[in-house]
């Protein structure tokens, strides 16, 4: 383990999970997004969690994660929604609420934009690949 840790420490990635999780400010924002995807997050509110100004946070988050904060938030919400659709029988309204969408319509529109299919069809077609 020591050798692996030493190698990893000497080859610190510039972006991706390794880089993001080494940055306490980015980690705080990621934790908030992952634990509470339905919260109406803004760059400002995530920056406050990170203890940074909005501009500094947005730049730092994008450079470490590889995507801007709100793009990552949308990706996480859609990933969570896809899992809920596949693994539960929750109605679309409940999936929408758990993933931060005020209405089924707004959720369905965002889901279709991300996956190219309606949420109900995604749920009913077991052979469809999970692409989020």
């Amino acid at each position: 383990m020591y050798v692996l840790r030493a190698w990893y420490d000497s080859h610190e990635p510039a972006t991706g999970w390794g880089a993001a999780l080494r940055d306490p400010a980015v980690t705080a924002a990621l934790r908030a997004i992952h634990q509470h995807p339905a919260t109406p997050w803004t760059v400002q509110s995530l920056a406050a969690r990170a203890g940074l100004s909005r501009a500094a946070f947005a730049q730092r988050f994008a450079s470490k994660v590889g995507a801007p904060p709100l793009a990552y938030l949308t990706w996480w919400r859609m990933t969570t929604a896809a899992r809920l659709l596949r693994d539960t029988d929750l109605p679309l309204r409940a999936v929408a609420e758990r993933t931060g969408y005020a209405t089924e319509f707004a959720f369905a529109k965002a889901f279709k934009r991300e996956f190219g299919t309606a949420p109900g069809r995604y749920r009913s077609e077991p052979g469809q690949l999970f692409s989020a």
Side-chain angles (χ1 to χ4, degrees):
M1 287 301 284
Y2 177 77
V3 171
L4 287 174
R5 177 71 178 198
W7 178 86
Y8 185 76
D9 287 344
S10 68
H11 293 84
E12 185 174 333
T15 62
W17 283 108
L21 295 177
R22 287 176 181 263
D23 187 315
V26 173
T27 299
L30 287 171
R31 184 175 293 121
I33 288 170
H34 288 196
Q35 290 177 349
H36 307 288
T39 299
W41 296 113
T42 62
V43 174
Q44 182 62 46
S45 64
L46 290 168
R49 286 278 179 134
L52 297 170
S53 72
R54 191 176 69 208
F57 167 73
Q59 188 280 327
R60 195 155 151 184
F61 187 98
S63 72
K64 300 290 184 183
V65 175
L70 297 184
Y72 181 85
L73 172 63
T74 299
W75 174 83
W76 181 249
R77 285 175 170 170
M78 290 296 104
T79 298
T80 301
R83 284 191 198 121
L84 289 170
L85 289 169
R86 285 288 164 86
D87 298 342
T88 73
D89 291 328
L90 289 171
L92 289 183
R93 175 185 44 77
V95 174
E97 288 172 1
R98 288 186 182 195
T99 55
Y101 291 88
T103 66
E104 288 176 57
F105 177 76
F107 166 69
K109 187 174 180 179
F111 192 90
K112 187 167 186 175
R113 185 174 49 244
E114 186 74 19
F115 288 93
T117 190
R121 177 169 273 186
Y122 182 89
R123 174 180 264 166
S124 68
E125 293 181 1
Q128 188 170 346
L129 294 175
F130 177 64
S131 63

